[in-house]
Amino acid sequence: MNILVIDGQGGRMGSLIVEKIKASGIAEKITAIGTNSIATSAMLKAGADRAATGENPVIVNSKRADFIIGPIGIIAADSLLGEITPAMANAVASCNAFKILIPTGRCNRYIAGIQDIPLGGLIDAAVLKLKEELANARGHLHNSSDC
């Protein structure tokens, strides 16, 4: 299974995601894509198995991913202070990978029904969902047509 973690800005969320995936015992390799070199470096330091930076790596690796994890802004053009290009957002949003998106109340977006949970709790929930989906996918891949 190909796990792709995407983050930008300082890479804090992405690095926490990588750390928690590794700590959870998930053995699959993690590819980290940063929208900038600082984010990429942070995710590599956190234990990502491989990494790249920029728009084209997001586009290429989204096609190859079975799971994509990152802030909800990775599916919205011009998010993360403009670091998510329309092409990046489209690649992530339209690919067949199962997406685990972490909500944040930043960038003029409000997600109704989401409780105010600290980032660590949101990442714990995301990693738990990844573990559940990996267990389900071991026998068969998820059906993306169920959207």
Side-chain angles (χ1 to χ4, degrees):
M1 295 285 132
N2 296 318
I3 299 172
L4 177 60
V5 177
I6 302 172
D7 197 13
Q9 299 180 321
R12 179 173 178 259
M13 183 184 292
S15 63
L16 289 172
I17 291 167
V18 170
E19 285 176 6
K20 294 215 177 196
I21 290 172
K22 292 290 186 173
S24 76
I26 293 172
E28 278 75 6
K29 292 198 185 290
I30 300 170
T31 301
I33 306 295
T35 60
N36 62 64
S37 60
I38 294 170
T40 304
S41 178
M43 291 186 283
L44 271 174
K45 287 179 186 173
D49 297 294
R50 57 190 184 162
T53 302
E55 180 180 75
N56 200 56
V58 169
I59 293 167
V60 170
N61 286 281
S62 292
K63 295 175 194 172
R64 299 176 180 163
D66 295 303
F67 298 93
I68 298 177
I69 305 175
I72 196 164
I74 63 175
I75 60 168
D78 301 327
S79 289
L80 304 181
L81 298 176
E83 291 183 12
I84 300 296
T85 67
M88 292 166 128
N90 184 56
V92 174
S94 65
C95 75
N96 287 329
F98 186 89
K99 296 152 199 80
I100 300 173
L101 303 172
I102 300 172
T104 60
R106 302 170 81 181
C107 299
N108 291 327
R109 289 181 177 84
Y110 172 77
I111 302 163
I114 300 298
Q115 298 171 345
D116 189 18
I117 299 171
L119 181 59
L122 292 170
I123 293 173
D124 287 342
V127 171
L128 179 61
K129 183 63 176 174
L130 176 62
K131 286 182 92 166
E132 291 171 2
E133 291 298 322
L134 281 168
N136 291 337
R138 298 238 191 280
H140 63 284
L141 288 177
H142 57 273
N143 185 350
S144 62
S145 64
D146 291 343
C147 296

